[in-house]
Amino acid sequence: MSAFNDVEVELSIVLGATRLPVREILAMSRGAMIPLDCTQDDPSLVLVNGHAIARGHILVDEDRMSLEITQVMKRRR
C-alpha cells in the first residue's frame, strides 16, 4: 500500500450550486452575491476526482475553515 501514499487526487468541497445565464455572469463585479441552492445548515459535498465520497459541515475557527465529515457515501459498483 505504501506505493499509493504519494498519489495525488483532486479533492473539492462543494458548498452549493446554482445556474445563471451568461449575461448575469458577465454583468457581475466585485462584491456581487451569487445565490446558492442550499442553506448554511445543509451539508457540503466532498468530491474526489469529481466523484462524491462524503458529506460534511463547514466549521469556522477565527480565520481558518475546515470540514467535519458527517457521512461517508457508499461506493458505487
Side-chain angles (χ1 to χ4, degrees), residues 10 15 29 31 44 46 51-52 55 63 66 68-70 72 75-76:
E10 180 181 331
L15 300 174
S29 60
S44 296
V46 180
H51 298 279
R55 293 183 197 276
D63 64 340
S66 60
E68 177 184 23
I69 300 293
T70 57
V72 176
R75 288 178 33 179
R76 290 185 183 173

Side-chain angles (χ1 to χ4, degrees), residues 22-43:
V22 172
R23 72 178 172 279
E24 286 185 34
I25 295 168
L26 294 174
M28 286 182 187
S29 60
R30 184 175 184 158
M33 300 293 283
I34 301 171
L36 300 175
D37 62 353
C38 60
T39 69
Q40 68 182 30
D41 296 325
D42 289 341

Side-chain angles (χ1 to χ4, degrees), residues 8-22:
E8 292 188 11
V9 295
E10 180 181 331
L11 187 132
S12 303
I13 309 299
V14 179
L15 300 174
T18 193
R19 295 179 68 94
L20 295 172
V22 172

